[in-house]
PDB file of all heavy atoms in Angstrom:
ATOM      1  N   ARG K   4      -4.814  13.443  -8.660  1.00 90.00           N
ATOM      2  CA  ARG K   4      -4.190  13.156  -9.956  1.00 90.00           C
ATOM      3  C   ARG K   4      -5.233  12.943 -11.038  1.00 90.00           C
ATOM      4  O   ARG K   4      -4.941  13.021 -12.233  1.00 90.00           O
ATOM      5  CB  ARG K   4      -3.314  11.907  -9.851  1.00 90.00           C
ATOM      6  CG  ARG K   4      -2.161  12.024  -8.860  1.00 90.00           C
ATOM      7  CD  ARG K   4      -1.531  10.678  -8.589  1.00 90.00           C
ATOM      8  NE  ARG K   4      -2.490   9.731  -8.018  1.00 90.00           N
ATOM      9  CZ  ARG K   4      -2.193   8.491  -7.642  1.00 90.00           C
ATOM     10  NH1 ARG K   4      -0.959   8.038  -7.800  1.00 90.00           N
ATOM     11  NH2 ARG K   4      -3.120   7.709  -7.122  1.00 90.00           N
ATOM     12  N   ALA K   5      -6.447  12.620 -10.633  1.00 86.00           N
ATOM     13  CA  ALA K   5      -7.543  12.388 -11.581  1.00 86.00           C
ATOM     14  C   ALA K   5      -8.841  12.743 -10.858  1.00 86.00           C
ATOM     15  O   ALA K   5      -8.922  12.644  -9.633  1.00 86.00           O
ATOM     16  CB  ALA K   5      -7.562  10.925 -12.029  1.00 86.00           C
ATOM     17  N   PRO K   6      -9.864  13.155 -11.593  1.00 87.00           N
ATOM     18  CA  PRO K   6     -11.123  13.537 -10.942  1.00 87.00           C
ATOM     19  C   PRO K   6     -11.904  12.293 -10.472  1.00 87.00           C
ATOM     20  O   PRO K   6     -12.880  11.884 -11.111  1.00 87.00           O
ATOM     21  CB  PRO K   6     -11.872  14.303 -12.024  1.00 87.00           C
ATOM     22  CG  PRO K   6     -11.370  13.711 -13.305  1.00 87.00           C
ATOM     23  CD  PRO K   6      -9.937  13.342 -13.049  1.00 87.00           C
ATOM     24  N   ARG K   7     -11.466  11.696  -9.397  1.00 93.00           N
ATOM     25  CA  ARG K   7     -12.158  10.520  -8.891  1.00 93.00           C
ATOM     26  C   ARG K   7     -12.056  10.467  -7.363  1.00 93.00           C
ATOM     27  O   ARG K   7     -11.121  11.005  -6.775  1.00 93.00           O
ATOM     28  CB  ARG K   7     -11.584   9.228  -9.487  1.00 93.00           C
ATOM     29  CG  ARG K   7     -10.121   9.005  -9.177  1.00 93.00           C
ATOM     30  CD  ARG K   7      -9.636   7.671  -9.716  1.00 93.00           C
ATOM     31  NE  ARG K   7      -8.215   7.455  -9.402  1.00 93.00           N
ATOM     32  CZ  ARG K   7      -7.580   6.311  -9.606  1.00 93.00           C
ATOM     33  NH1 ARG K   7      -8.223   5.288 -10.139  1.00 93.00           N
ATOM     34  NH2 ARG K   7      -6.291   6.201  -9.303  1.00 93.00           N
ATOM     35  N   GLU K   8     -13.060   9.829  -6.777  1.00 96.00           N
ATOM     36  CA  GLU K   8     -13.060   9.616  -5.334  1.00 96.00           C
ATOM     37  C   GLU K   8     -12.840   8.136  -5.058  1.00 96.00           C
ATOM     38  O   GLU K   8     -13.303   7.267  -5.809  1.00 96.00           O
ATOM     39  CB  GLU K   8     -14.362  10.097  -4.719  1.00 96.00           C
ATOM     40  CG  GLU K   8     -14.557  11.595  -4.869  1.00 96.00           C
ATOM     41  CD  GLU K   8     -15.689  12.134  -4.024  1.00 96.00           C
ATOM     42  OE1 GLU K   8     -16.445  11.315  -3.458  1.00 96.00           O
ATOM     43  OE2 GLU K   8     -15.800  13.367  -3.917  1.00 96.00           O
ATOM     44  N   LEU K   9     -12.105   7.875  -3.985  1.00 97.00           N
ATOM     45  CA  LEU K   9     -11.678   6.516  -3.688  1.00 97.00           C
ATOM     46  C   LEU K   9     -11.892   6.193  -2.213  1.00 97.00           C
ATOM     47  O   LEU K   9     -12.071   7.077  -1.372  1.00 97.00           O
ATOM     48  CB  LEU K   9     -10.190   6.336  -4.023  1.00 97.00           C
ATOM     49  CG  LEU K   9      -9.750   6.527  -5.469  1.00 97.00           C
ATOM     50  CD1 LEU K   9      -8.227   6.578  -5.539  1.00 97.00           C
ATOM     51  CD2 LEU K   9     -10.291   5.410  -6.355  1.00 97.00           C
ATOM     52  N   LEU K  10     -11.850   4.914  -1.940  1.00 97.00           N
ATOM     53  CA  LEU K  10     -11.726   4.411  -0.577  1.00 97.00           C
ATOM     54  C   LEU K  10     -10.277   3.985  -0.402  1.00 97.00           C
ATOM     55  O   LEU K  10      -9.786   3.113  -1.127  1.00 97.00           O
ATOM     56  CB  LEU K  10     -12.661   3.216  -0.346  1.00 97.00           C
ATOM     57  CG  LEU K  10     -14.161   3.494  -0.455  1.00 97.00           C
ATOM     58  CD1 LEU K  10     -14.944   2.177  -0.420  1.00 97.00           C
ATOM     59  CD2 LEU K  10     -14.620   4.414   0.668  1.00 97.00           C
ATOM     60  N   LEU K  11      -9.582   4.610   0.527  1.00 98.00           N
ATOM     61  CA  LEU K  11      -8.155   4.365   0.715  1.00 98.00           C
ATOM     62  C   LEU K  11      -7.962   3.568   2.001  1.00 98.00           C
ATOM     63  O   LEU K  11      -8.230   4.069   3.095  1.00 98.00           O
ATOM     64  CB  LEU K  11      -7.396   5.690   0.789  1.00 98.00           C
ATOM     65  CG  LEU K  11      -5.877   5.609   0.620  1.00 98.00           C
ATOM     66  CD1 LEU K  11      -5.520   5.231  -0.825  1.00 98.00           C
ATOM     67  CD2 LEU K  11      -5.227   6.936   1.005  1.00 98.00           C
ATOM     68  N   LEU K  12      -7.508   2.326   1.848  1.00 97.00           N
ATOM     69  CA  LEU K  12      -7.307   1.435   2.990  1.00 97.00           C
ATOM     70  C   LEU K  12      -5.818   1.335   3.283  1.00 97.00           C
ATOM     71  O   LEU K  12      -5.018   1.012   2.390  1.00 97.00           O
ATOM     72  CB  LEU K  12      -7.881   0.048   2.679  1.00 97.00           C
ATOM     73  CG  LEU K  12      -7.919  -0.957   3.822  1.00 97.00           C
ATOM     74  CD1 LEU K  12      -8.815  -0.482   4.967  1.00 97.00           C
ATOM     75  CD2 LEU K  12      -8.416  -2.315   3.313  1.00 97.00           C
ATOM     76  N   LEU K  13      -5.443   1.640   4.521  1.00 97.00           N
ATOM     77  CA  LEU K  13      -4.038   1.650   4.917  1.00 97.00           C
ATOM     78  C   LEU K  13      -3.845   0.825   6.187  1.00 97.00           C
ATOM     79  O   LEU K  13      -4.739   0.761   7.033  1.00 97.00           O
ATOM     80  CB  LEU K  13      -3.551   3.078   5.190  1.00 97.00           C
ATOM     81  CG  LEU K  13      -3.758   4.129   4.114  1.00 97.00           C
ATOM     82  CD1 LEU K  13      -4.901   5.041   4.495  1.00 97.00           C
ATOM     83  CD2 LEU K  13      -2.488   4.924   3.920  1.00 97.00           C
ATOM     84  N   PRO K  14      -2.662   0.231   6.347  1.00 96.00           N
ATOM     85  CA  PRO K  14      -2.345  -0.377   7.634  1.00 96.00           C
ATOM     86  C   PRO K  14      -2.016   0.706   8.643  1.00 96.00           C
ATOM     87  O   PRO K  14      -1.700   1.849   8.277  1.00 96.00           O
ATOM     88  CB  PRO K  14      -1.121  -1.242   7.312  1.00 96.00           C
ATOM     89  CG  PRO K  14      -0.455  -0.531   6.184  1.00 96.00           C
ATOM     90  CD  PRO K  14      -1.566   0.098   5.380  1.00 96.00           C
ATOM     91  N   ARG K  15      -2.039   0.364   9.925  1.00 94.00           N
ATOM     92  CA  ARG K  15      -1.675   1.329  10.967  1.00 94.00           C
ATOM     93  C   ARG K  15      -0.174   1.345  11.237  1.00 94.00           C
ATOM     94  O   ARG K  15       0.291   2.105  12.085  1.00 94.00           O
ATOM     95  CB  ARG K  15      -2.432   1.009  12.266  1.00 94.00           C
ATOM     96  CG  ARG K  15      -3.946   1.114  12.173  1.00 94.00           C
ATOM     97  CD  ARG K  15      -4.417   2.537  11.980  1.00 94.00           C
ATOM     98  NE  ARG K  15      -4.097   3.401  13.097  1.00 94.00           N
ATOM     99  CZ  ARG K  15      -4.829   3.527  14.211  1.00 94.00           C
ATOM    100  NH1 ARG K  15      -5.932   2.810  14.341  1.00 94.00           N
ATOM    101  NH2 ARG K  15      -4.455   4.359  15.155  1.00 94.00           N
ATOM    102  N   GLN K  16       0.548   0.480  10.537  1.00 93.00           N
ATOM    103  CA  GLN K  16       1.997   0.401  10.755  1.00 93.00           C
ATOM    104  C   GLN K  16       2.701   0.370   9.408  1.00 93.00           C
ATOM    105  O   GLN K  16       2.346  -0.411   8.522  1.00 93.00           O
ATOM    106  CB  GLN K  16       2.328  -0.851  11.570  1.00 93.00           C
ATOM    107  CG  GLN K  16       3.758  -0.894  12.093  1.00 93.00           C
ATOM    108  CD  GLN K  16       3.965  -2.068  13.034  1.00 93.00           C
ATOM    109  OE1 GLN K  16       3.386  -3.135  12.838  1.00 93.00           O
ATOM    110  NE2 GLN K  16       4.782  -1.883  14.044  1.00 93.00           N
ATOM    111  N   GLN K  17       3.722   1.201   9.234  1.00 93.00           N
ATOM    112  CA  GLN K  17       4.464   1.250   7.981  1.00 93.00           C
ATOM    113  C   GLN K  17       5.483   0.115   7.905  1.00 93.00           C
ATOM    114  O   GLN K  17       6.025  -0.309   8.930  1.00 93.00           O
ATOM    115  CB  GLN K  17       5.211   2.569   7.869  1.00 93.00           C
ATOM    116  CG  GLN K  17       4.343   3.793   7.721  1.00 93.00           C
ATOM    117  CD  GLN K  17       5.165   5.058   7.803  1.00 93.00           C
ATOM    118  OE1 GLN K  17       5.849   5.301   8.789  1.00 93.00           O
ATOM    119  NE2 GLN K  17       5.121   5.856   6.727  1.00 93.00           N
ATOM    120  N   PRO K  18       5.764  -0.367   6.693  1.00 93.00           N
ATOM    121  CA  PRO K  18       6.901  -1.289   6.551  1.00 93.00           C
ATOM    122  C   PRO K  18       8.180  -0.588   7.002  1.00 93.00           C
ATOM    123  O   PRO K  18       8.393   0.596   6.675  1.00 93.00           O
ATOM    124  CB  PRO K  18       6.918  -1.610   5.058  1.00 93.00           C
ATOM    125  CG  PRO K  18       5.542  -1.274   4.574  1.00 93.00           C
ATOM    126  CD  PRO K  18       5.071  -0.143   5.417  1.00 93.00           C
ATOM    127  N   PRO K  19       9.054  -1.277   7.734  1.00 93.00           N
ATOM    128  CA  PRO K  19      10.205  -0.593   8.335  1.00 93.00           C
ATOM    129  C   PRO K  19      11.297  -0.197   7.360  1.00 93.00           C
ATOM    130  O   PRO K  19      12.096   0.709   7.644  1.00 93.00           O
ATOM    131  CB  PRO K  19      10.721  -1.610   9.358  1.00 93.00           C
ATOM    132  CG  PRO K  19      10.270  -2.937   8.817  1.00 93.00           C
ATOM    133  CD  PRO K  19       8.956  -2.678   8.159  1.00 93.00           C
ATOM    134  N   ASP K  20      11.392  -0.858   6.200  1.00 93.00           N
ATOM    135  CA  ASP K  20      12.507  -0.544   5.302  1.00 93.00           C
ATOM    136  C   ASP K  20      12.104  -0.873   3.866  1.00 93.00           C
ATOM    137  O   ASP K  20      10.990  -1.350   3.587  1.00 93.00           O
ATOM    138  CB  ASP K  20      13.763  -1.331   5.701  1.00 93.00           C
ATOM    139  CG  ASP K  20      13.495  -2.817   5.872  1.00 93.00           C
ATOM    140  OD1 ASP K  20      12.714  -3.384   5.071  1.00 93.00           O
ATOM    141  OD2 ASP K  20      14.057  -3.415   6.810  1.00 93.00           O
ATOM    142  N   ALA K  21      13.025  -0.656   2.938  1.00 93.00           N
ATOM    143  CA  ALA K  21      12.743  -0.863   1.512  1.00 93.00           C
ATOM    144  C   ALA K  21      12.438  -2.321   1.204  1.00 93.00           C
ATOM    145  O   ALA K  21      11.557  -2.631   0.391  1.00 93.00           O
ATOM    146  CB  ALA K  21      13.921  -0.375   0.676  1.00 93.00           C
ATOM    147  N   ALA K  22      13.162  -3.245   1.843  1.00 94.00           N
ATOM    148  CA  ALA K  22      12.921  -4.669   1.603  1.00 94.00           C
ATOM    149  C   ALA K  22      11.509  -5.058   2.033  1.00 94.00           C
ATOM    150  O   ALA K  22      10.813  -5.817   1.339  1.00 94.00           O
ATOM    151  CB  ALA K  22      13.960  -5.509   2.347  1.00 94.00           C
ATOM    152  N   ALA K  23      11.063  -4.530   3.171  1.00 93.00           N
ATOM    153  CA  ALA K  23       9.716  -4.820   3.648  1.00 93.00           C
ATOM    154  C   ALA K  23       8.668  -4.220   2.717  1.00 93.00           C
ATOM    155  O   ALA K  23       7.614  -4.824   2.478  1.00 93.00           O
ATOM    156  CB  ALA K  23       9.539  -4.295   5.069  1.00 93.00           C
ATOM    157  N   ARG K  24       8.963  -3.026   2.164  1.00 94.00           N
ATOM    158  CA  ARG K  24       8.011  -2.421   1.222  1.00 94.00           C
ATOM    159  C   ARG K  24       7.903  -3.252  -0.050  1.00 94.00           C
ATOM    160  O   ARG K  24       6.811  -3.462  -0.584  1.00 94.00           O
ATOM    161  CB  ARG K  24       8.426  -0.984   0.901  1.00 94.00           C
ATOM    162  CG  ARG K  24       8.217  -0.009   2.058  1.00 94.00           C
ATOM    163  CD  ARG K  24       8.328   1.436   1.600  1.00 94.00           C
ATOM    164  NE  ARG K  24       9.705   1.785   1.233  1.00 94.00           N
ATOM    165  CZ  ARG K  24      10.616   2.222   2.104  1.00 94.00           C
ATOM    166  NH1 ARG K  24      10.311   2.341   3.384  1.00 94.00           N
ATOM    167  NH2 ARG K  24      11.836   2.542   1.695  1.00 94.00           N
ATOM    168  N   ASP K  25       9.027  -3.739  -0.541  1.00 94.00           N
ATOM    169  CA  ASP K  25       9.002  -4.584  -1.740  1.00 94.00           C
ATOM    170  C   ASP K  25       8.217  -5.869  -1.487  1.00 94.00           C
ATOM    171  O   ASP K  25       7.446  -6.326  -2.351  1.00 94.00           O
ATOM    172  CB  ASP K  25      10.432  -4.923  -2.177  1.00 94.00           C
ATOM    173  CG  ASP K  25      11.175  -3.717  -2.728  1.00 94.00           C
ATOM    174  OD1 ASP K  25      10.494  -2.715  -3.077  1.00 94.00           O
ATOM    175  OD2 ASP K  25      12.421  -3.769  -2.803  1.00 94.00           O
ATOM    176  N   ALA K  26       8.424  -6.456  -0.301  1.00 93.00           N
ATOM    177  CA  ALA K  26       7.717  -7.695   0.037  1.00 93.00           C
ATOM    178  C   ALA K  26       6.214  -7.441   0.130  1.00 93.00           C
ATOM    179  O   ALA K  26       5.398  -8.251  -0.327  1.00 93.00           O
ATOM    180  CB  ALA K  26       8.247  -8.264   1.354  1.00 93.00           C
ATOM    181  N   TRP K  27       5.826  -6.282   0.733  1.00 95.00           N
ATOM    182  CA  TRP K  27       4.393  -5.971   0.829  1.00 95.00           C
ATOM    183  C   TRP K  27       3.785  -5.811  -0.561  1.00 95.00           C
ATOM    184  O   TRP K  27       2.696  -6.336  -0.827  1.00 95.00           O
ATOM    185  CB  TRP K  27       4.190  -4.670   1.619  1.00 95.00           C
ATOM    186  CG  TRP K  27       2.733  -4.332   1.755  1.00 95.00           C
ATOM    187  CD1 TRP K  27       1.895  -4.701   2.748  1.00 95.00           C
ATOM    188  CD2 TRP K  27       1.937  -3.573   0.823  1.00 95.00           C
ATOM    189  NE1 TRP K  27       0.621  -4.236   2.514  1.00 95.00           N
ATOM    190  CE2 TRP K  27       0.617  -3.532   1.330  1.00 95.00           C
ATOM    191  CE3 TRP K  27       2.218  -2.929  -0.380  1.00 95.00           C
ATOM    192  CZ2 TRP K  27      -0.414  -2.882   0.678  1.00 95.00           C
ATOM    193  CZ3 TRP K  27       1.172  -2.284  -1.046  1.00 95.00           C
ATOM    194  CH2 TRP K  27      -0.133  -2.258  -0.515  1.00 95.00           C
ATOM    195  N   LEU K  28       4.452  -5.090  -1.442  1.00 95.00           N
ATOM    196  CA  LEU K  28       3.909  -4.850  -2.775  1.00 95.00           C
ATOM    197  C   LEU K  28       3.745  -6.157  -3.541  1.00 95.00           C
ATOM    198  O   LEU K  28       2.712  -6.385  -4.182  1.00 95.00           O
ATOM    199  CB  LEU K  28       4.822  -3.887  -3.549  1.00 95.00           C
ATOM    200  CG  LEU K  28       4.325  -3.466  -4.933  1.00 95.00           C
ATOM    201  CD1 LEU K  28       2.980  -2.762  -4.832  1.00 95.00           C
ATOM    202  CD2 LEU K  28       5.349  -2.566  -5.625  1.00 95.00           C
ATOM    203  N   ALA K  29       4.729  -7.043  -3.450  1.00 94.00           N
ATOM    204  CA  ALA K  29       4.632  -8.328  -4.148  1.00 94.00           C
ATOM    205  C   ALA K  29       3.475  -9.152  -3.598  1.00 94.00           C
ATOM    206  O   ALA K  29       2.728  -9.798  -4.357  1.00 94.00           O
ATOM    207  CB  ALA K  29       5.949  -9.089  -4.009  1.00 94.00           C
ATOM    208  N   SER K  30       3.306  -9.106  -2.282  1.00 94.00           N
ATOM    209  CA  SER K  30       2.218  -9.857  -1.670  1.00 94.00           C
ATOM    210  C   SER K  30       0.858  -9.302  -2.087  1.00 94.00           C
ATOM    211  O   SER K  30      -0.054 -10.051  -2.437  1.00 94.00           O
ATOM    212  CB  SER K  30       2.362  -9.818  -0.139  1.00 94.00           C
ATOM    213  OG  SER K  30       1.282 -10.475   0.478  1.00 94.00           O
ATOM    214  N   ALA K  31       0.702  -7.983  -2.062  1.00 95.00           N
ATOM    215  CA  ALA K  31      -0.569  -7.364  -2.445  1.00 95.00           C
ATOM    216  C   ALA K  31      -0.908  -7.648  -3.899  1.00 95.00           C
ATOM    217  O   ALA K  31      -2.074  -7.867  -4.249  1.00 95.00           O
ATOM    218  CB  ALA K  31      -0.499  -5.853  -2.195  1.00 95.00           C
ATOM    219  N   GLN K  32       0.101  -7.659  -4.771  1.00 94.00           N
ATOM    220  CA  GLN K  32      -0.148  -7.939  -6.184  1.00 94.00           C
ATOM    221  C   GLN K  32      -0.577  -9.392  -6.401  1.00 94.00           C
ATOM    222  O   GLN K  32      -1.346  -9.677  -7.314  1.00 94.00           O
ATOM    223  CB  GLN K  32       1.102  -7.606  -6.997  1.00 94.00           C
ATOM    224  CG  GLN K  32       1.358  -6.101  -7.098  1.00 94.00           C
ATOM    225  CD  GLN K  32       2.676  -5.758  -7.740  1.00 94.00           C
ATOM    226  OE1 GLN K  32       3.596  -6.592  -7.762  1.00 94.00           O
ATOM    227  NE2 GLN K  32       2.812  -4.541  -8.248  1.00 94.00           N
ATOM    228  N   ARG K  33      -0.089 -10.303  -5.565  1.00 94.00           N
ATOM    229  CA  ARG K  33      -0.552 -11.692  -5.659  1.00 94.00           C
ATOM    230  C   ARG K  33      -1.999 -11.816  -5.181  1.00 94.00           C
ATOM    231  O   ARG K  33      -2.789 -12.582  -5.736  1.00 94.00           O
ATOM    232  CB  ARG K  33       0.353 -12.606  -4.831  1.00 94.00           C
ATOM    233  CG  ARG K  33       1.741 -12.812  -5.408  1.00 94.00           C
ATOM    234  CD  ARG K  33       2.410 -14.045  -4.809  1.00 94.00           C
ATOM    235  NE  ARG K  33       2.529 -13.957  -3.364  1.00 94.00           N
ATOM    236  CZ  ARG K  33       3.534 -13.390  -2.720  1.00 94.00           C
ATOM    237  NH1 ARG K  33       4.514 -12.823  -3.419  1.00 94.00           N
ATOM    238  NH2 ARG K  33       3.585 -13.374  -1.394  1.00 94.00           N
ATOM    239  N   ALA K  34      -2.332 -11.053  -4.147  1.00 94.00           N
ATOM    240  CA  ALA K  34      -3.687 -11.145  -3.582  1.00 94.00           C
ATOM    241  C   ALA K  34      -4.754 -10.721  -4.581  1.00 94.00           C
ATOM    242  O   ALA K  34      -5.834 -11.312  -4.625  1.00 94.00           O
ATOM    243  CB  ALA K  34      -3.777 -10.301  -2.309  1.00 94.00           C
TER     244      ALA K  34
END
């Protein structure tokens, strides 16, 4: 999307549903 290189850190397990994804995003934004 832009001319840049990144380090992409991912968990090995996906959130199981939309509620879990919302909770993860809120937690990461607090961190």
Side-chain angles (χ1 to χ4, degrees):
R4 299 168 300 182
R7 60 176 180 171
E8 296 192 350
L9 298 169
L10 296 171
L11 195 69
L12 188 62
L13 307 104
R15 297 292 296 276
Q16 192 173 35
Q17 293 172 302
D20 50 39
R24 289 193 290 273
D25 290 343
W27 181 91
L28 184 60
S30 177
Q32 289 173 338
R33 289 198 301 273

